Amino acid sequence: MKQLIYGGRLLTAGRLDGGHADILIDGDTIAAVLPPGEKVGDDVKRVDARDRLLIPGLVNSHTHAPAALNRGIADGWSLELLLNAYPWTGGNRGTEVKYLSARIGAIEMLRKGCTACYDMAAEIPAPSAEGTYAVARAYADVGIRAVVAPMMADTTFYRAIPGLIEAMPAPLREKAEAMRATPHDVSLAACKDIVENWPFDRDRQRPALAPTIPHHCSDPFICGCRDLARAHGIGVQMHVSESKTQAVVGPRKYGTTLVGHLHKLGMLGPNFTAAHAVWLDDDDMARMADAGASVAHNPGSNLKLGSGLAAARKMRDRGVNLGIGTDGCMSSDNQNVFEAMRIAAFVSRVQGPDPKAWFTAAEAFEAATRGGARALGMESLIGQIAPGFKADIVFLDLTSINYVPLNEPLYHVVFAEDGTGIDRVMVGGKVLVEGGKVLGVDMPKLAAEANATMARLNEVNASTRQLVELLAPVVLDYCVGLASERYRVQRWCEQCS
Ligand SMILES: [Zn+2]
């Protein structure tokens, strides 16, 4: 079936003026971008887009499906307190719970104009085909694209931070020492099975690997992921130098930065995405850029967890591909890429007084569309409204308050839009959001199911919660101590020193 979207304005890479254009879609793909009013024949369905601004579906380059059930669960957590709490907040998640959580996150993203994401879906203690496929199935059922990477570790958080276990009082130390991570050969064998038997259309949902944090994964594990990813042509995403505590661990453990260590292991490449990358020095940025790697910039999460401000503009100038991410709902607490894009532009402006060094609206928009698509390995499929790309299109209502009056369309999208101006969202030419509502979703039913699930999880995880709450003050003291050490990074921001 052919469709002509007519009468609208278009905002996409190479056309940032928001001028009028019509879009011809054939099946799930954009066939042509045409001058307004151009004739296309009679056998074409006509879609009225007058008073609409058409943008590519936004790309969320870093999130976590399991965290959607943990929205609004915490305040005052640093990254280390969040990781400490994981046995509680991520405990006892069966396949149905993984599906439910991913579905909630997918519905939110779709409702807010995001049509593709890179999901590090926690598969701890061990990755399973059942769990990973449940997450991918949730994305398939909601209708958005996703790269689903089982998130794994072969070292527990308590062992990953040098000296942390030794700093614990005896009874707690025994409990932390008793926790075990799955050996890397077991996880790698499971990942091979997951990837080789992937049952989903790879233009829609594709697999990747996520050894979560460099020092939470042994070198053989990281190298195993590297080799498996290369053998199957898939991506790898890791959290890298997110907090200052992590950055300090790098030289202590490896004698180099975390990026330097990954570089030595041969992990950096065009299929590699570093999530956060807050504490990179100039050499790290050069290594990432020269390898053709990407960074998923999560400024909202970095603010909430007090992780710091990533040097997004500097990385971009050095040639690192940038995507924008929300991170999971435990650290953002929403899945709103419009908001993440706006924060990305805004935080750059407190990193220095010279507007020439700020992250512009155009750069933020580029990162949230084409840059994110590249981070997902989908740069030839999505991220642009142009011939040959999938018809993933967001219709913004120019009569909504966010555009009244309409001045520079790009600035409205980056600085004013919060998702409330969305009228319609199309993925692969199919309308999934209409009048600002996700079609076919019974929200009261979903809320009841989610609330009942959390009530049950809170009950079964109560004793684990008690334990992590006992560990929290020790973790806090020790990691704040580590983070207070001087760490040599080239100064881009006095607040980060
Ligand atoms: Zn994350």
Side-chain angles (χ1 to χ4, degrees):
M1 184 189 70
K2 286 187 179 174
Q3 308 180 61
L4 180 74
I5 303 175
Y6 71 95
R9 290 169 172 270
L10 175 60
L11 189 74
T12 186
R15 301 183 69 133
L16 295 181
D17 62 342
H20 284 89
D22 293 349
I23 301 167
L24 182 64
I25 298 170
D26 189 356
D28 68 351
T29 303
I30 296 165
V33 175
L34 303 166
E38 186 150 312
K39 294 270 176 296
V40 292
D42 297 330
D43 59 337
V44 175
K45 181 185 168 193
R46 291 174 65 81
V47 179
D48 188 350
R50 286 172 294 178
D51 282 329
R52 298 292 180 268
L53 177 63
L54 308 165
I55 64 169
L58 299 180
V59 179
N60 187 354
S61 57
H62 179 64
T63 186
H64 301 279
L69 282 172
N70 295 337
R71 187 201 312 277
I73 210 170
D75 185 18
W77 279 0
S78 62
L79 174 67
E80 283 67 36
L81 289 179
L82 183 149
L83 295 173
N84 172 64
Y86 181 80
W88 153 40
T89 59
N92 288 297
R93 298 288 184 98
T95 307
E96 280 173 26
V97 177
K98 289 176 183 177
Y99 177 84
L100 173 65
S101 196
R103 184 163 176 260
I104 291 168
I107 288 169
E108 183 182 1
M109 283 187 258
L110 177 61
R111 166 65 189 83
K112 295 175 180 173
C114 168
T115 56
C117 70
Y118 205 138
D119 184 349
M120 290 174 80
E123 283 289 299
I124 292 172
S128 67
E130 214 186 20
T132 307
Y133 294 168
V135 170
R137 198 171 66 251
Y139 286 115
D141 290 352
V142 172
I144 73 171
R145 300 178 205 276
V147 176
V148 180
M151 187 177 89
M152 318 165 278
D154 66 349
T155 308
T156 66
F157 165 67
Y158 305 106
R159 289 180 189 278
I161 308 283
L164 174 57
I165 279 201
E166 292 74 14
M168 291 178 176
L172 286 178
R173 186 164 66 231
E174 280 162 25
K175 289 200 169 14
E177 276 174 338
M179 293 183 193
R180 286 276 177 270
T182 301
H184 61 84
D185 52 342
V186 175
S187 292
L188 285 168
C191 285
K192 189 165 182 288
D193 174 54
I194 289 167
V195 172
E196 290 182 351
N197 296 299
W198 191 254
F200 303 92
D201 172 356
R202 289 180 187 231
D203 281 358
R204 289 279 182 162
Q205 288 80 35
R206 64 177 62 168
L209 301 174
T212 179
I213 297 168
H215 47 287
H216 292 226
C217 299
S218 64
D219 289 357
F221 192 14
I222 293 174
C223 293
C225 289
R226 174 200 67 195
D227 295 343
L228 189 60
R230 286 196 188 141
H232 291 85
I234 60 173
V236 176
Q237 186 169 105
M238 300 178 76
H239 298 98
V240 182
S241 290
E242 177 175 351
S243 68
K244 191 175 169 197
T245 298
Q246 290 189 346
V248 166
V249 166
R252 268 198 189 202
K253 192 159 177 176
Y254 305 116
T256 179
T257 63
L258 295 175
V259 172
H261 181 61
L262 294 174
H263 175 66
K264 268 193 199 162
L265 297 181
M267 176 54 98
L268 307 184
N271 70 332
F272 181 78
T273 305
H276 301 281
V278 174
W279 292 89
L280 303 199
D281 64 18
D282 287 357
D283 292 341
D284 291 337
M285 291 180 204
R287 289 174 184 126
M288 290 285 294
D290 295 346
S294 297
V295 161
H297 179 35
N298 302 275
S301 164
N302 296 339
L303 288 175
K304 190 191 178 202
L305 301 180
S307 300
L309 306 176
R313 175 60 188 274
K314 193 171 178 182
M315 287 192 269
R316 186 185 187 281
D317 289 350
R318 183 58 184 79
V320 178
N321 176 56
L322 282 187
I324 298 279
T326 59
D327 208 350
C329 278
M330 246 189 313
S331 46
S332 54
D333 286 23
N334 64 35
Q335 298 292 294
N336 190 338
V337 182
F338 282 108
E339 182 182 280
M341 178 165 63
R342 183 168 60 255
I343 297 174
F346 284 175
V347 294
S348 74
R349 293 150 205 240
V350 298
Q351 289 174 288
D354 182 357
K356 292 195 290 299
W358 295 349
F359 202 48
T360 65
E363 289 160 354
F365 183 72
E366 158 84 15
T369 53
R370 203 163 52 167
R374 190 175 144 199
L376 268 60
M378 292 187 173
E379 65 270 36
S380 60
L381 287 181
I382 60 169
Q384 298 184 56
I385 297 178
F389 285 80
K390 297 294 179 190
D392 297 0
I393 301 171
V394 178
F395 293 57
L396 297 166
D397 181 354
L398 294 175
T399 66
S400 84
I401 201 68
N402 299 335
Y403 302 93
V404 176
L406 183 65
N407 290 302
E408 192 63 48
L410 172 67
Y411 300 162
H412 286 264
V413 168
V414 177
F415 299 142
E417 182 56 69
D418 55 3
T420 55
I422 292 174
D423 169 37
R424 179 182 290 166
V425 181
M426 195 178 249
V427 181
K430 188 177 171 198
V431 174
L432 300 179
V433 173
E434 184 77 74
K437 289 211 157 44
V438 180
L439 300 175
V441 174
D442 182 339
M443 281 308 296
K445 189 171 167 219
L446 181 65
E449 191 185 348
N451 287 325
T453 300
M454 280 313 284
R456 184 177 63 72
L457 287 174
N458 287 337
E459 209 174 302
V460 296
N461 289 324
S463 60
T464 315
R465 179 178 183 171
Q466 272 179 350
L467 172 61
V468 300
E469 285 179 349
L470 285 172
L471 287 162
V474 185
V475 169
L476 183 66
D477 273 4
Y478 188 80
C479 292
V480 168
L482 272 186
S484 303
E485 284 184 13
R486 271 196 70 76
Y487 180 71
R488 189 186 61 79
V489 289
Q490 272 82 355
R491 293 273 71 79
W492 65 83
C493 166
E494 285 311 312
Q495 284 130 306
C496 301
S497 58

